[in-house]
Amino acid sequence: MIQIENLKKTYPGKVPTPALKGVSFKINEGEFVAIMGRSGSGKSTLLHQLGLIDTPTEGTIRIGNFEVTALSDAEKTKFRLQQLGYIFQEYALITELTAQENVWLPALAYGKDPEHCWEHAAKLLDLVGLGHRLDHYPNEISGGEQQRVAIARALINSPKVLFADEPTANLDSASAKTVLELFRKLNRELKQTVVMVTHEPDDRRYVDRVVWISDGLIEKIEKVE
Amino acid sequence: MSANDLKTAAFIAYKSIRRGHKSTLVLMILILSLSFINMMFIAGILKGLSELFPQVIIKNVSAYITVSSQETPRVKEFIPNQSALRAEIATIPGILRTTRRYVLAGSLAFDKDQSGQYKRLSSSIMGIDPAADAKIMGIEGLIKDGSFLSDTDTDQIILSSALAGGYGNLAPSDLGGARVGDKILVTYGNGIMRTYKVKGIYSDLMGIYENFITSKEAESVIGVSDSASQILVALDPNRQTLEKYRAQIGALAPTLKIQTYEDFLGSFGGFLNALDLIAVIVSIISVAVASVTIFVLIYVNALNKRRQIGILRAIGIKRTIIISSYVFQALFYVAASLVVGSILTFAVLYPLFLRYPLNVDFGAISLYFTAGWIIFGIVSLIAAGFLSGYLPSRLVARKDILTAIWG
C-alpha cells in the first residue's frame, strides 16, 4: 500500500538540519500503524512527507500505484484531495465554516454531487458522534469535538490512507480515548489504513504496528500483539 | 479552472465575507465608495467646468458658427444681402436657424448726477434683431434689471452690467452706476450721436462688455440696409462635425470669414484640455488609492488567514481556488462599493448639484458625466479589485504548506 525507500529530509539553513536520514519501510492496506519516538526524532517530519504536505530531499514514496514523490505540486494537491486524509494536531478547521461545511468542503472541491455529499458529511459527523453539532462553528465546540470534525473531514472523500499527526496531543484523556477508539473502529470496521504519529506509549494498544524513529532513522518496527 | 473550482472558491469567499469582521467590511466598502465618489465627483466638476465654457461662448459670444464680413483681399465692413445669404445657409442640413448682428464702435457717456460731468468709456455696440437673436443667443436670459429689446425699439439700449457699473463686476472702466431708465449718450465712430434710454441691464459673463441696440437703429446710424457684421448660426452638433458645417458655409460664402466657437475659445481651449487632463489624472490617482486600499486590506486579511490558507492547501484545495476566493472577496467589496458610491453620486450628489449648482461669474457649474467616463470609473475599480485580490492572495498562497500553517 505504502512503500518508502531511503527517505531523507534536510531542512535548509545556515546549518542544514537533517531530520530524516534514510528511512525505508512498508505499510500494508488496512493496517493501523503508529510512528513513535522522542520529541525531535523526525516522526512528524516523516508524516509530512507521507501526507505530501512537504517535499523530501531524497528518496521515494509509493502510495498505491503512484510514486507520489514524482508528482508535480498540482498533482500532489489533487492526490491529497482524492486519496489522502490528513488530521493535524491542532484540529485545523476552517473557522468560518460550520462543522458540516468543514466536512463537506473537500467533497465540494472534489466535484462530487454537492447534495449527496452534504448528506454524507452529516452521516460522517454522526459517525464521529457529532450529529447534534452540524451547524456549530469551531469556536462553539470543544477541542475533542473539533478533532472529531477534522476526522470526519479527512474521511469525506473516502481516502486510501488516513494520516494523523499527534491527534490526541491537545485533548483531555477522555477525548483522546474517544478519538483513538474512533480510529480503531474505522480501521477494524471499514478497513481504513491509518498512519498515526504519537508520543503516548499507551496508544500502542490501538495499533497493529509501531515504527520507532530515533534521530531520523528507524530504530525498530514493532508488531503489536 | 473548472466550474466546480469557481463554485468552491465562491463558497469560501461567501463564508469568509459572511463570517468576517463586519467592521472591516463596512470600512472597506466605505473607503472604496469614497474613492469612487472622489473619482466621479472631481472629474464631474472639472468636466462640468470644461463643458460650461464652450456653452457660455456659444450662448453669449459666437453661436456655433460666426460668419463675419470679408477681411481679404480687401476689408469690407459689412456682409451685403445678408437675408439672401442666411436663406442659403438655412438650406444646409443640420442648420437650425441664423441671426445677424451689426458690430459698431462707439463711446458711451453717462451723467449720473445731471451735473454736466459725463463719465465716458469706449465700447462696442451690437445691433441685433431681438426676436431672432433671442432664439440663438442667451442675452435675453441674462437680463437682471429691466427687459430685453423688441424688434421695433429704436431709442433704447441694453447695457452690460460690468459697463453700467455698481454691480460688482470688475471692468477696466464703467459708467458709474447707470440703471434702467437712465439716458446714455452714444457717439458712434462715424460721428453720429444718439441718446438712448437704458431698457435693460444684463449680467455680463466673462467680461464680454457689449451693449445692444436693435439692427433697425444700427442701420439708421450707419446708413445701410439688409447688411450685417456677423451672421450667427445655430446648428445640430450631432448631425455632422463643425468643420463640415464650416466647409459647407464656406462654399456658399467663399470671401467671408467663418469661425467656429472653438476659434473663439482660442487659447482657452488649451486650458479646457488641461482640465480634462487633470480629470484623468485625478481619476487615475483615485483608482490607485482604491487599488492600494484593497491590496493592503486583502493582504492583511490573507496574512491573518495564512494558517487557514495552509490548512486549505493541506486538505487538497487547489491554490487557484484559494486565490479565486480572495479575488471574489475583492470583487464583492468593489461591487458593493460601486453600488453605494453610485447611489451617493448619481442619486444624491448629482441631483443636488443640478438643483444647487456652483454659481460663478460666468455661469453655473454642475456635475457633468459621460457614459464613457462612468464606464471607465467602474471598469477601473473592477480591474483594481481583481488585481488587488489576486496579487496578495497569490503571494500568501505560494508559501509552502508547513510555513503557512506554522509560520
Side-chain angles (χ1 to χ4, degrees), chain B residues 128-140:
Chain B
I128 61 174
D129 297 331
D133 202 276
K135 287 179 181 167
I136 296 179
M137 307 303 284
I139 300 300
E140 185 181 22

Side-chain angles (χ1 to χ4, degrees), chain B residues 5-59:
Chain B
D5 290 349
L6 289 173
K7 202 191 302 178
T8 308
F11 173 69
I12 295 170
Y14 165 72
K15 290 299 292 190
S16 189
I17 292 166
R18 181 100 192 268
R19 292 283 296 174
H21 291 292
K22 297 291 178 286
S23 53
T24 308
L25 178 70
V26 170
L27 181 70
M28 180 98 83
I29 291 173
L30 183 70
I31 291 171
L32 295 178
S33 302
L34 289 176
S35 293
F36 180 73
I37 292 168
N38 182 49
M39 179 161 58
M40 286 293 125
F41 181 76
I42 301 287
I45 281 283
L46 291 174
K47 198 78 185 149
L49 192 59
S50 72
E51 286 295 317
L52 176 64
F53 281 119
Q55 288 308 315
V56 168
I57 297 293
I58 290 166
K59 286 302 284 181

Side-chain angles (χ1 to χ4, degrees), chain B residues 13 16-17 24-25 28 32 290-306 309 322-334 384-397:
Chain B
S16 189
I17 292 166
T24 308
L25 178 70
M28 180 98 83
L32 295 178
S291 304
V292 171
T293 305
I294 315 174
F295 185 94
V296 169
L297 290 173
I298 293 279
Y299 189 56
V300 170
N301 189 26
L303 277 182
N304 285 336
K305 291 187 177 167
R306 193 179 59 183
I309 289 173
I322 296 166
I323 293 170
S324 299
S325 76
Y326 280 90
V327 170
F328 284 151
Q329 287 179 60
L331 290 178
F332 169 78
Y333 297 138
V334 168
F386 179 85
L387 285 176
S388 307
Y390 176 78
L391 293 176
S393 57
R394 186 167 181 268
L395 280 176
V396 176

Side-chain angles (χ1 to χ4, degrees), chain B residues 169-190:
Chain B
N169 308 60
L170 289 175
S173 59
D174 61 48
L175 295 172
R179 293 291 177 269
V180 172
D182 289 339
K183 297 280 176 68
I184 304 293
L185 177 65
V186 177
T187 306
Y188 289 98
N190 59 5

